[in-house]
Structure formats: C-alpha cells, structure tokens
Amino acid sequence: MKFSKMLRTAALTLDSTHRRGFVIRKWLPLRGAMLLFAALPLRLHAQDTSAVDAAEQAMTAKLPEVAIEKLNGFLASTSATDGTLVERAETDLTRAMLDSGDAAGALARLDFPNSGAERFWKAEALSALDRWEEAGPLYAEVAADGPANLHDAATIGHAEALREQGRTPEAITTLSAIHTTLSQLRLAELYLDTDQLEAARQLLAKAQPASLLEDRWRKYIEGRVYLAEDQAAPAQDDFEELLGDPRGLTASLHAGAAVGLAEARIALNGREVADNVIEDYISQYPDSPYLGDMFLRLDEIYAGEDSPSDSELRHWAADAPPRRAALALYYEAKSLHRQDRDEKAIRAYTEFLQRYPHHSFDFEASMQLGELYLETGHIPTAISAFEGAMRYSSTPRERARSEIATGNANFAQGDFLIAVEHFSNAANRSSELWFQATYDSALAWLHLGNYNRFLEDYTAISQRYPETEERHTLLLEEGLLQARSGDPRAAGTLLEFIRDFPDNRRAGEARVALAELEFAGGNLDSASQLLKAAYQTPLASQTPEQADFLAIFIADSGANRDEDNVIKLGLDFLKKYPDSPLRPQVRMKLGQVYFQREDFANAETQFETLAQENPSDPLADKALILAGQSSVKSMSPDGTKHAMDLFDRVVQGSGPLRLYARQEQALVEAGRGHEKDAAIIYDDILRSNPDAPLRLAALCGKADCLVAAEDAAASPAPSPSVSGSTGADEACSAAIALYDQVIHDPDVTGPWRDQALYKKGRCLDKEGLADQALAAYYDVLNAPKGGKQQPPDFYWFDKAGFDAAAMLEGKAQWPGAISVLDKVARAGGPRSAEARKRADELRLEHFVWD
C-alpha cells in the first residue's frame, strides 16, 4: 500500500493487528502510513457467518491469500442470501486483494462503485497503483458526502494524493482538519518536507502518544527533526533505539528508521559508512514491501561515493529471492552506467531484460539501454532498444517518452523524416510532453529543409508558449543550420535573432556564428567586431570554446596578422580546453605558424603531438607528414632518420596520404644523394595508380633523380669516356621522356607543364641540342591556346625567359634576346623589372631599335 493508510484505518478505529507500514519516498519514509484491515463493526445474526469469520481471522493472521480463497468460496455459494453479509464479504475480499498486492484485481471489482464505501476502496486501489490523480477526487468525494466512519480516512487519503502530486501545501491544509495523534505526526512530517521546521517542532511537542505505535512513530519524527536541525548524533541515537528494539514497529517505520540512520551516519561518517545500513537491511529483509525504495536510496548513496563497490549488488543479483535479485541487477546496471563503464552496463541491462521480461522496470531498463547505445555510437541498436521500451510502456506518457527517444536516435542517424513521425506521435499522445516533442519535430523539419512545416511547429509553440526560451532558440537553430549548410539566408536569420532577442542567453552564440560567416566571407573587420561583442555577453555551453577558436584564425588573417598573438591564443586554447574536439585544428595552426617562422623544433612538436593525441583524426596523417618535413629542416643529427620513421607511419596506414608520404621519403632519399633509391620509390608510387597531382609529381621527381644521378656520375675530366657519355645520354633521354609525359598529360596544370618544359630544356641543352632547348624554353613563355587561361608560374616562367635570353646572347642574336626579355617584363612577375633593364641595356649596347 502506498499512502497514509495507517491514518485512514486508524480513523476507522479498526483492529490494530492489521496495521501495515508506510512507503519510503526518496531518503525519508512515511510516504504513506499504515493500513488497518479489519471487519467493519457489524454484528450479523441472520445467517451463519463462519465462512466470513474464518476469512477475517486469516486476514488477522496476515494470510490474505487464504482469506481470498474462503471469501470467493462463500460468495460463490448459493447459500449466501443475506445481503448485508454478502456486502461484508465483498468488502473483505476487496481489502484482502489489496493486502495481497493485487490492487489491479481489486480495482477491476470496483469499476463502477455504487456507494461511498466502494468509492473509498476504489481510491485505495488506485493509490496502490500510483494513480494519484484519479484517487484524489474519489477521496475528496467520500470525505465530503460519504459514510461518517470513512470521513477521516478519506480526508487523509485526499491529503496523501495531493502530496503525491506535488501539492504539499494543499495536503497540509487538508490534513490539518484531522486531530488524532497519528494524523498530527503525519502533518509534522509534511511540515518537515516543506522546511517548516518550527511548525513540525510544535506538533511534536504537543503529541501525546497513547499506544506503542504512536510512541514509536513519535520517536521516528523526533529523529527526523534532529536531522533537519543538523543534529546528526541525537538523530542517530533515536534511529538506533528504534532498530535495536523493533517492538511496535511497522514494516514502514522499520524501513524509515534504517533510512534515517543511514542519513545520520552520512552526516557523521560519510557515505561509505552509511551504505552498510541499507545494505544490511536489504540482506536481512529481502521480502520487505519497501525493498524497492531501499534499493533506490542505496543507489542514491552510491551515486555520491567516489568509488562505490558493486560487490553487494552482484551478490544479490546472483542469489534468491528473485524480487531482490531483479532489483539488484537493475541497480547494478544503473551504477555501472553512472560510472561510465558502458560495456558492462550494457551487458547488465541486457541480462536484466532477458531474465525479467515482465518486470515493472523493463521500460526504464530499455530506455537506459537505448541511451547507452546512443552514447556509444551504436544508433541502430539504440533504436531497437527504444522500440523495446515502446512495447514495455504502460502509460501514454511512457509511450511518448520512448517515441521521443526513438525519434532522437533516428535524428542522430540522419533519418529526419522517420524522426518527425515519432515526434508527432508523442506530441499527440502526451500533453505533458507535447512541448518537447513539438520542439524536436521543428528541428527535424528544419534539417529536412521543409521550412513550411518548421514554421507550423514554430507557430504552434509560439501560440502555446510565447515566452519560452526554446521558442527563441528555434530561430537560432534555423540560422545555425543555414550557416552549416551554406544557405545564403543564414546571416539574415542570425541577425534577426540578435535583433529580436538581444538578451537571450544564446545571443553570444549567434554573434559567434555570424562572425564565422563574416570571416569565411573575408570580412575580417566585421568578424572581429562581432567576436568582441560576443565576448561582452554571457556565453553559454560550448560558445566560449568556439569564440576562442575563431579568435586564433582572425589573428592569423588580414593585414594586421600577428604571429605572436596567434601562438599565444593557440597555446591558451590548448590549456583551457583539454577535451575540445577543435584541438587538432589548433595544433595544426600552431605548427604551421612555427614552420613559417622556421622554428622547426616547435613545429615538429605541435604536428607530432596532434597525431599522438588524435590518431584517428583526418588531420593526423597530414600532421605526421608535416612533422617529418619539420624534422628534416631542423638539421638535427637524427632529424632525417626520425622523419623517415614519421613518413613510414603514414605509409603503413590506409589513409589517403599514404602515397604522399612515400613521395616525402623519395624527396629525403634524393636529398641524401640516394637518387636510385628515390627513383625506386617513385616507381612504386606510379604503379599504385596515384591521383593526377601525385602522378605528375612522381614523373617529374623520377626524371629529376635520373638527371641528378647523371650529374653525380659524370667524370670531372674535360673529356669523359665514351661509355660514360653513352650512360649520360641514356639518362637524359629517359628523363626527357618522363618530362614529356608530364607535358602531355591530360590533367597537367600550368605550373607542372612549365616546370617539365624548363627541365626538359635544361636536359636538351646539356646534350648539346641548343635549338631544341630554346624551343622548350619558348614554350614555357607561350601558354597553349584554348581552355581556361591561367597566370604563369613565374618561378619557371622567369627562369625559362632568362635562360633563353642567355642562350640567344651567346649566339649574338640580340633582337631575339631582347624579344624574350620584353616578354618576361610584360608578364609582370617578380623579375620583370630586371628583364626590362637587361633588354634596355642590350638595345643601347647593340643599337637594336624597333
């Protein structure tokens, strides 16, 4: 039974031998009081009452199941003709069913109550099922116009129903109309629940116990008052006295005293000592009607401990009786979940559902299991768990909760249309959860790009809850989503949010998002101003992190770029946000700045740390390559070897930069004078079907190695041997063929074409084919017609022009040399002024005039 039934039955002046206990709520007991089941004061002589008397004796002996059998037999008998006796038997049967825990069965018998007494017992059944909203009005009706002997009990029941619905002040007013000792003690409890300590003290002082039960209850309330006064020591004494001498204690007072003792010990010695009190109770009283409440309190104590032990829960879960084993397994799963031991928690919840498929906690277990799967990224399995919760749901609210959870899982998976369907069902099913479901539905429509349906949900929320912050943030979410998807309306939406809701707690977030848009659009001044404004307003949740991240990149941009400030902001970010998912990007930026400053040691540290901290991040392989480049440039004794090791880590992986790391290894080998080894690596790259940029780089790199190897092998003597010349010719020919592959590749870009042409010209010139070399240089200066015209790569353009001019000068072909230099000058590259000056000098020296 789940309310102050002791008070109600005491008001009926029933036999005290039928008293039952209260139920614990949170940390203190006496959610209800005690039920006194006994026969109403009727004296019947018209018919033999032996069957009913025997049933009532069984109830007195706490054998309600026996009483039910006898009463059912009596009522089924054709000899049961006395209407009053039948009514007495019907009432006894209802009470026996309630006493046995069959509240649902009792309620079914009272579906259509015909009298005040039946309305009272229906309220009792509803209260036992926690259906307080239905029970309360029935109690009120009986108190107002029911039988006089039920008035006080119904009034107390009404008060309890009010308290269970969170209406404790109304419950206090209602209960104040009853002036028995027990009702006043219960009233003192309600005063304690509402922090009215002085009122509770006054009632306790006036209480005059007239029975052992009243005396024991008064001692219990006294202990609670001591706890409320922060006097844990005398409270501990009171509760230990009750537990040490259990005479007169009901089951609920016994459980309440155990909870009170635990609370006192928490205050005196800490949770790790206090949990033993509840553990001992659960071990000694596995059949207690308050076992579930005691497990709940133990779980709350464990939640406050630094390193709670699960040994007792595991022991109980593996041991009979089944009711305790089921509760232990469920709370073990909860404890594991709370400790982030996700895999074990998943196993425990799964085992609970498999072993106890009809338990009242199956719904919550399925919901928690779904949350665990969702947290660990197993979205399809999470959806299955939430769908299981739907099947276990027993009320519209539970069904709506599971539908919202399923919708959120589908949302996380990107199935927005399915998510909307679940949210819509939940909104229609539960008025209490309508707002949450409709808000989620609006977000789902937003992600689907269906602004009309989004507007419908937004309007509905605006009409029913115009002042809620969530209504405001829907507009922000719209702007943020538009920004993420590159929608040009994003800036307008964010500006509208800032303008309409300047004091919203997420206004700073909107300014940061707008600053990011401005930064992406190249409007650095505007981005900087918006970021400053954001810092001047309260920033919620992740917004400070996003703002500090953006500040790094703003400092690294524009005419006022400040490398020192970039480094300071970056290092501060790493220190301030040790768990930020943006750390890899910040380390990459720091490494790049250090690299540009030729601080290769610090650059290498940042790049390599990035890869170590975030090995699965998309930037990890790039960071390893950059770390290797930094190590090579650091000129340290082991720099080259360490670089090769870093590159090899990328090569051994399966990422898209694997072949690019091979290219870096080839460059290192070539730099060490190991051209043959480098050429072998380039061959390996070319056999691996690389993308166009890498293919062009590998072809050109291999050709460079052939040329370098030829130069290294060339004899210093002025007349090389015939065999040497033949080898050199073969190397140059092979290099030229590779350069030609680059020049004629369908994917070649201007810079690669110009580089290959220039290097081909150098090879031809070395072979003595000056005219062909000159033609190659000239081709660099004349981009091919057709297609999209691109500006020249001035590095190769200028080199080709000056080398061609030098060749022509060597042949005394002054007009040709001047023409080439004029072409370089008109191109506007970095050496254009030098080319113009040289052309003018040649005109003056050799009288060449147009």
Side-chain angles (χ1 to χ4, degrees):
M1 298 296 105
K2 295 191 173 182
F3 333 168
S4 277
K5 293 184 175 174
M6 182 194 71
L7 295 180
R8 298 197 296 282
T9 51
L12 288 167
T13 64
L14 300 177
D15 189 335
S16 64
T17 59
H18 295 290
R19 292 166 179 161
R20 295 188 63 198
F22 351 92
V23 171
I24 304 164
R25 182 175 180 85
K26 296 186 180 177
W27 73 271
L28 288 176
L30 308 185
R31 170 178 169 183
M34 294 174 293
L35 179 61
L36 310 179
F37 284 151
L40 290 172
L42 298 173
R43 294 293 178 264
L44 305 171
H45 304 285
Q47 183 175 330
D48 181 21
T49 64
S50 59
V52 178
D53 288 341
E56 290 176 351
Q57 288 173 5
M59 292 167 65
T60 301
K62 298 182 181 180
L63 297 170
E65 292 81 4
V66 174
I68 291 170
E69 286 294 321
K70 292 185 176 297
L71 291 167
N72 278 328
F74 170 77
L75 291 171
S77 170
T78 56
S79 63
T81 58
D82 189 306
T84 307
L85 185 60
V86 169
E87 181 181 348
R88 174 182 167 190
E90 293 279 4
T91 300
D92 283 347
L93 180 57
T94 298
R95 295 187 300 185
M97 293 175 73
L98 286 169
D99 206 15
S100 71
D102 186 13
L107 182 61
R109 303 185 74 253
L110 298 164
D111 196 16
F112 302 102
N114 293 316
S115 66
E118 288 184 350
R119 290 202 304 275
F120 175 79
W121 292 113
K122 181 174 182 177
E124 292 284 272
L126 288 167
S127 72
L129 294 169
D130 283 335
R131 293 165 64 175
W132 304 104
E133 292 183 0
E134 299 170 74
L138 284 173
Y139 282 128
E141 288 177 21
V142 176
D145 58 13
N149 66 331
L150 293 175
H151 174 270
D152 285 0
T155 301
I156 294 166
H158 185 211
E160 289 298 321
L162 290 169
R163 189 187 68 83
E164 288 293 342
Q165 296 175 73
R167 299 160 63 182
T168 303
E170 296 174 64
I172 289 173
T173 301
T174 302
L175 192 58
S176 296
I178 311 297
H179 299 290
T180 65
T181 299
L182 290 178
S183 67
Q184 293 300 292
L185 288 171
R186 179 61 176 141
L187 185 59
E189 269 201 291
L190 296 183
Y191 281 135
L192 288 171
D193 290 342
T194 53
D195 297 324
Q196 300 182 63
L197 183 57
E198 184 55 39
R201 283 198 195 98
Q202 292 176 8
L203 284 178
L204 187 65
K206 293 177 182 177
Q208 298 295 322
S211 68
L212 179 60
L213 171 64
E214 291 174 353
D215 181 70
R216 306 303 268 164
W217 199 352
R218 186 187 185 284
K219 178 66 68 174
Y220 169 79
I221 299 299
E222 181 182 78
R224 281 201 58 181
V225 169
Y226 280 136
L227 282 177
E229 294 173 336
D230 293 326
Q231 297 188 61
Q236 177 177 253
D237 292 341
D238 277 347
F239 295 129
E240 285 181 340
E241 180 182 335
L242 289 171
L243 294 173
D245 181 9
R247 288 178 305 157
L249 287 184
T250 64
S252 60
L253 270 179
H254 189 199
V259 172
L261 179 58
E263 295 305 315
R265 289 191 178 175
I266 286 174
L268 293 170
N269 308 113
R271 295 177 183 271
E272 287 73 9
V273 175
D275 60 18
N276 294 335
V277 177
I278 308 297
E279 289 171 350
D280 290 345
Y281 181 95
I282 293 172
S283 292
Q284 294 174 29
Y285 305 99
D287 296 319
S288 168
Y290 310 106
L291 193 66
D293 300 277
M294 300 302 279
F295 266 105
L296 176 61
R297 184 59 193 132
L298 181 62
D299 183 65
E300 292 170 346
I301 294 174
Y302 283 163
E305 295 180 7
D306 293 332
S307 301
S309 171
D310 300 321
S311 59
E312 290 293 339
L313 292 173
R314 284 196 301 273
H315 169 71
W316 294 326
D319 195 16
R323 177 166 170 254
R324 184 179 66 184
L327 290 168
L329 183 55
Y330 174 77
Y331 281 105
E332 180 188 5
K334 282 194 68 176
S335 178
L336 292 168
H337 189 177
R338 187 166 51 242
Q339 297 173 59
D340 295 325
R341 296 160 68 183
D342 294 340
E343 291 185 7
K344 289 188 175 182
I346 287 172
R347 288 199 296 271
Y349 278 126
T350 302
E351 181 184 354
F352 175 83
L353 291 167
Q354 291 171 346
R355 286 172 57 182
Y356 308 103
H358 305 294
H359 198 278
S360 60
F361 284 173
D362 283 346
F363 172 79
E364 286 298 338
S366 294
M367 290 290 288
Q368 294 303 316
L369 185 60
E371 290 296 335
L372 273 166
Y373 279 127
L374 197 59
E375 290 168 7
T376 53
H378 298 86
I379 299 179
T381 318
I383 292 173
S384 296
F386 290 136
E387 289 174 345
M390 286 188 205
R391 293 189 293 273
Y392 288 124
S393 62
S394 58
T395 65
R397 187 181 186 281
E398 284 186 351
R399 179 61 182 256
R401 275 185 61 201
S402 58
E403 286 172 334
I404 290 173
T406 308
N408 286 330
N410 279 286
F411 189 103
Q413 191 169 252
D415 293 333
F416 303 119
L417 198 57
I418 298 175
V420 162
E421 183 179 353
H422 288 297
F423 296 144
S424 177
N425 290 339
N428 293 330
R429 200 178 306 278
S430 171
S431 59
E432 183 181 353
L433 297 177
W434 178 91
F435 180 84
Q436 179 184 348
T438 306
Y439 179 86
D440 291 343
S441 174
L443 290 179
W445 285 123
L446 195 59
H447 280 76
L448 282 167
N450 192 327
Y451 289 99
N452 290 331
R453 297 300 298 271
F454 165 76
L455 186 59
E456 287 180 18
D457 286 339
Y458 177 79
T459 302
I461 290 174
S462 300
Q463 290 172 347
R464 293 176 65 170
Y465 302 97
E467 300 304 322
T468 57
E469 185 173 322
E470 287 80 1
R471 181 181 78 85
H472 304 167
T473 57
L474 276 176
L475 184 62
L476 173 60
E477 293 293 344
E478 180 183 10
L480 296 175
L481 181 63
Q482 289 171 340
R484 288 194 295 270
S485 58
D487 191 320
R489 294 172 290 184
T493 305
L494 292 169
L495 282 170
E496 180 183 353
F497 174 82
I498 294 169
R499 183 188 66 245
D500 293 348
F501 311 114
D503 298 325
N504 188 280
R505 66 183 182 85
R506 296 183 66 184
E509 184 178 350
R511 291 188 175 92
V512 172
L514 193 55
E516 290 174 344
L517 288 175
E518 293 294 305
F519 176 75
N523 302 318
L524 300 181
D525 289 341
S526 177
S528 181
Q529 291 301 318
L530 282 164
L531 192 59
K532 288 179 182 177
Y535 277 126
Q536 293 170 2
T537 59
L539 296 176
S541 64
Q542 298 296 317
T543 311
E545 179 182 327
Q546 295 167 343
D548 291 347
F549 178 75
L550 179 59
I552 297 169
F553 288 82
I554 289 178
D556 191 47
S557 305
N560 297 322
R561 179 174 181 270
D562 186 344
E563 288 185 350
D564 289 335
N565 194 33
V566 174
I567 291 172
K568 178 183 180 303
L569 292 173
L571 294 176
D572 287 347
F573 185 97
L574 295 174
K575 182 178 180 180
K576 189 175 180 181
Y577 306 106
D579 300 318
S580 172
L582 300 173
R583 288 171 65 86
Q585 297 179 61
V586 173
R587 286 203 182 277
M588 178 62 70
K589 175 56 66 177
L590 284 171
Q592 290 169 343
V593 172
Y594 282 129
F595 195 97
Q596 292 163 0
R597 299 178 77 166
E598 298 187 0
D599 184 351
F600 300 117
N602 274 323
E604 181 183 350
T605 297
Q606 292 299 328
F607 292 136
E608 197 166 353
T609 304
L610 188 163
Q612 290 171 349
E613 290 181 345
N614 308 91
S616 60
D617 192 273
L619 291 174
D621 280 357
K622 181 180 179 181
L624 286 172
I625 291 175
L626 291 171
Q629 293 177 351
S630 302
S631 186
V632 170
K633 290 181 176 293
S634 69
M635 305 300 289
S636 63
D638 296 326
T640 301
K641 181 181 181 302
H642 184 55
M644 293 295 280
D645 291 339
L646 292 171
F647 297 143
D648 195 56
R649 286 170 58 184
V650 181
V651 171
Q652 297 304 317
S654 58
L657 298 182
R658 184 176 63 83
L659 293 179
Y660 281 88
R662 287 291 279 158
Q663 180 192 19
E664 293 295 331
Q665 290 178 325
L667 292 172
V668 170
E669 294 290 11
R672 293 195 294 189
H674 303 162
E675 288 84 5
K676 289 183 179 180
D677 293 335
I680 291 172
I681 294 175
Y682 283 126
D683 281 335
D684 180 46
I685 293 172
L686 292 168
R687 283 193 297 269
S688 301
N689 192 29
D691 58 23
L694 187 53
R695 180 177 68 250
L696 297 171
L699 289 168
C700 211
K702 181 180 178 182
D704 294 344
C705 287
L706 293 174
V707 173
E710 175 196 339
D711 292 343
S715 170
S719 299
S721 67
V722 175
S723 60
S725 297
T726 301
D729 290 344
E730 290 176 355
C732 270
S733 296
I736 290 170
L738 290 169
Y739 291 135
D740 277 335
Q741 286 188 54
V742 174
I743 294 164
H744 299 295
D745 191 292
D747 296 316
V748 72
T749 59
W752 278 116
R753 172 184 172 275
D754 292 348
Q755 181 180 169
L757 280 169
Y758 175 78
K759 290 179 175 178
K760 176 184 176 180
R762 290 290 301 270
C763 282
L764 291 168
D765 190 29
K766 287 167 61 178
E767 288 190 313
L769 302 173
D771 291 342
Q772 293 182 37
L774 186 59
Y777 293 147
Y778 190 74
D779 285 343
V780 176
L781 303 177
N782 292 275
K785 296 186 188 243
K788 184 178 180 181
Q789 296 297 308
Q790 298 177 342
D793 184 324
F794 284 114
Y795 179 80
W796 302 111
F797 184 91
D798 290 349
K799 285 177 73 69
F802 275 94
D803 282 13
M807 291 178 68
L808 292 168
E809 286 185 50
K811 296 180 178 181
Q813 295 180 5
W814 315 117
I818 292 170
S819 174
V820 168
L821 289 167
D822 282 342
K823 195 171 190 67
V824 174
R826 287 194 300 272
R831 298 183 67 182
S832 60
E834 181 185 351
R836 186 173 294 107
K837 179 181 178 183
R838 182 56 184 161
D840 290 343
E841 289 173 349
L842 291 177
R843 285 189 177 93
L844 289 171
E845 291 173 4
H846 303 287
F847 305 99
V848 179
W849 310 106
D850 295 335

